[in-house]
């Protein structure tokens, strides 16, 4: 079995910050454009922000789930 390099794992986890910012930014920007298009200022901006925030939270849960899998795998290898 090939072990991942520690630096690769650090890079994998460091991209989460970028994903969180991108999710919130995309939701907010789409909300602003929808507000401009339909004249509903600021309601769709807030809706887009909340949707982006939900996507960011989902990203965090995915990260925690993947980290737990890695930890369990390492513990299993140590026990063997």
């Amino acid at each position: 079995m090939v072990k991942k390099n520690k630096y690769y794992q650090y890079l994998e986890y460091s991209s989460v910050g970028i994903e969180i910012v991108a999710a919130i930014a995309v939701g907010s920007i789409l909300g602003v454009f929808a507000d401009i298009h339909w004249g509903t200022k600021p309601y769709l901006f807030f809706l887009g922000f909340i949707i982006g925030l939900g996507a960011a939270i989902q990203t965090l849960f995915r990260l925690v789930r993947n980290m737990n899998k890695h930890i369990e795998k390492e513990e299993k290898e140590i026990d063997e």
Side-chain angles (χ1 to χ4, degrees):
M1 181 181 217
V2 178
K3 283 191 171 184
K4 287 185 180 178
N5 190 353
K6 283 286 186 190
Y7 294 114
Y8 178 77
Q9 289 178 351
Y10 295 146
L11 287 174
E12 182 180 358
Y13 298 137
S14 68
S15 68
V16 173
I18 295 169
E19 291 178 31
I20 290 171
V21 170
I24 294 172
V26 168
S28 298
I29 290 170
L30 289 176
V32 167
F33 285 134
D35 277 335
I36 292 170
H37 181 70
W38 285 302
T40 57
K41 196 172 185 178
Y43 301 111
L44 293 179
F45 163 74
F46 288 128
L47 180 64
F49 179 80
I50 290 171
I51 291 171
L53 192 61
I57 291 170
Q58 183 180 8
T59 299
L60 284 175
F61 280 121
R62 185 192 53 173
L63 171 71
V64 170
R65 187 173 44 235
N66 287 341
M67 286 178 70
N68 284 336
K69 285 181 184 177
H70 285 128
I71 291 170
E72 288 174 3
K73 195 180 290 185
E74 288 178 1
E75 287 177 351
K76 188 182 280 187
E77 289 176 359
I78 290 173
D79 291 340
E80 292 176 352

